[in-house]
Amino acid sequence: MSHIMLSYQWDIQEVAKKVFDKLTSDGFPVWMDVQGGVAGNINDSMAFGVDNALVVCPFMTQKYADSKNCKKELNYADAQDKEIVPVMAQNAFKASGWLGLITAGLLWVDFRNPSTFDQSVVSLEKELQHTCSELDLSKPISTKKSPAPFKGRAFRNLQTGKYLAESGEVKYHQASGSRSSLVLREKPEATSYWVEERSKENKEVVFYKNFSTNMYLGYDPNGDYIYTKEQHYGAEEWSLVCDENNSNGERAVVIFACFGKRFLAVRNGKLTGVDRKSDDCIWILD
């Protein structure tokens, strides 16, 4: 049966085992080397784990980056085009070299703070479901008791608690035709969900298509205007980056407009682009 593979360096095994136990109890099919994994030939076990994985979760630490076996394992997963959901397991660690190359543009789930373990697991479960719709869950899990009828990500501003959504108001733009404006909603609705499409040329660049309207999220730096439109070009390119300062276990990110070179923020109750990252630029993925 296909599974989620936990890839880790031995020193972090206790954390990985706690994650394994929680995911398993919540109905996820999980594989790690101490659970019928590394027995006999280590290369055969690695190959089995990766070949049968829908998603691989590397527990990123300096010792993971230094490990020849971890490098071999994740390089093989990358070569097999496996989905990768990184887990950040060490404070002040930044992936570089071979690990930075493989995980560039990917959102990691924060397991640096033991006191927020339960919230971190919830975040990991949500990210796994977002990443792979093929997961065969053996029983309903906590995050699926009331399954959302929508696909994609919902962005909730950390400071205001409000959700990014289309307004339904359409305006005509001379250069690019019809555009819809964006608003902030108290609760998520159909137009609050955004389907992620990764650029084929640069995996760190993504496009966000509204689940309800199929319009692409964009930013016009000339008028400081956030909008959606039918097709995507340069102004509809975004980069999503984890907020390293947030330590509560939620999936906290900043949203960066690649063309306009601005961070998406909420100031004075309005959506805007700002040139420096600040607290009003932080969004939570729901």
Side-chain angles (χ1 to χ4, degrees):
M1 185 180 76
S2 298
H3 54 236
I4 299 156
M5 178 182 178
L6 306 186
S7 174
Y8 65 96
Q9 193 273 339
W10 201 253
D11 285 4
I12 207 75
Q13 185 187 65
E14 183 179 347
V15 175
K17 181 61 167 59
K18 284 183 64 179
V19 174
F20 174 92
D21 290 341
K22 181 58 176 170
L23 289 180
T24 301
S25 70
D26 283 346
F28 285 86
V30 192
W31 186 95
M32 64 181 290
D33 59 8
V34 297
Q35 299 294 329
V38 175
N41 188 301
I42 190 171
N43 289 330
D44 287 345
S45 265
M46 284 183 183
F48 174 85
V50 172
D51 288 343
N52 292 280
L54 290 171
V55 185
V56 177
C57 295
F59 283 67
M60 299 195 299
T61 64
Q62 186 59 58
K63 289 188 176 181
Y64 185 94
D66 294 339
S67 168
K68 291 183 179 179
N69 284 335
C70 293
K71 179 178 181 180
K72 183 188 299 184
E73 191 169 79
L74 200 60
N75 270 321
Y76 181 57
D78 186 51
Q80 297 300 312
D81 289 326
K82 298 295 182 178
E83 296 285 358
I84 296 174
V85 175
V87 167
M88 183 58 72
Q90 179 181 333
N91 283 313
F93 174 71
K94 291 187 177 182
S96 59
W98 71 269
L99 183 56
L101 184 65
I102 291 177
T103 60
L106 301 180
L107 297 177
W108 44 261
V109 180
D110 188 7
F111 276 83
R112 296 171 298 176
N113 185 355
S115 67
T116 61
F117 178 82
D118 289 342
Q119 177 58 57
S120 295
V121 171
V122 171
S123 295
L124 178 58
E125 291 180 348
K126 288 181 178 180
E127 194 63 29
L128 289 169
Q129 292 176 84
H130 171 81
T131 301
C132 187
S133 59
E134 301 172 39
L135 281 173
D136 181 17
L137 303 179
S138 61
K139 61 181 181 180
I141 65 171
S142 57
T143 57
K144 294 197 72 172
K145 288 181 179 177
S146 299
F150 315 121
K151 293 182 180 179
R153 300 187 185 279
F155 298 106
R156 171 169 52 88
N157 185 258
L158 180 62
Q159 283 198 337
T160 66
K162 295 183 178 181
Y163 292 83
L164 182 69
E166 275 197 27
S167 68
E169 180 184 2
V170 179
K171 298 181 179 180
Y172 181 78
H173 187 271
Q174 186 175 1
S176 58
S178 297
R179 291 179 172 183
S180 292
S181 59
L182 276 289
V183 293
L184 295 166
R185 301 292 195 202
E186 294 289 342
K187 295 181 180 180
E189 56 188 40
T191 64
S192 303
Y193 288 85
W194 305 86
V195 178
E196 191 173 89
E197 296 181 2
R198 197 162 294 276
S199 169
K200 296 179 180 179
E201 290 76 26
N202 183 351
K203 69 177 185 178
E204 296 186 45
V205 171
V206 292
F207 304 100
Y208 285 104
K209 183 169 67 174
N210 192 274
F211 167 79
S212 179
T213 67
N214 290 324
M215 305 273 275
Y216 288 92
L217 183 67
Y219 173 68
D220 184 346
N222 296 320
D224 189 28
Y225 178 53
I226 295 95
Y227 62 87
T228 59
K229 55 178 287 192
E230 290 185 352
Q231 296 178 320
H232 62 72
Y233 298 101
E236 290 73 49
E237 293 181 346
W238 298 88
S239 177
L240 209 62
V241 181
C242 290
D243 174 42
E244 297 181 5
N245 297 323
N246 188 288
S247 59
N248 65 2
E250 291 187 298
R251 296 178 297 169
V253 299
V254 291
I255 310 172
F256 184 72
C258 300
F259 177 77
K261 300 190 183 305
R262 294 289 189 275
F263 295 98
L264 183 60
V266 179
R267 288 189 178 171
N268 300 318
K270 296 182 179 180
L271 289 162
T272 185
V274 297
D275 58 3
R276 292 185 181 182
K277 177 186 168 184
S278 53
D279 290 346
D280 51 13
C281 299
I282 310 303
W283 298 80
I284 302 300
L285 301 180
D286 277 355

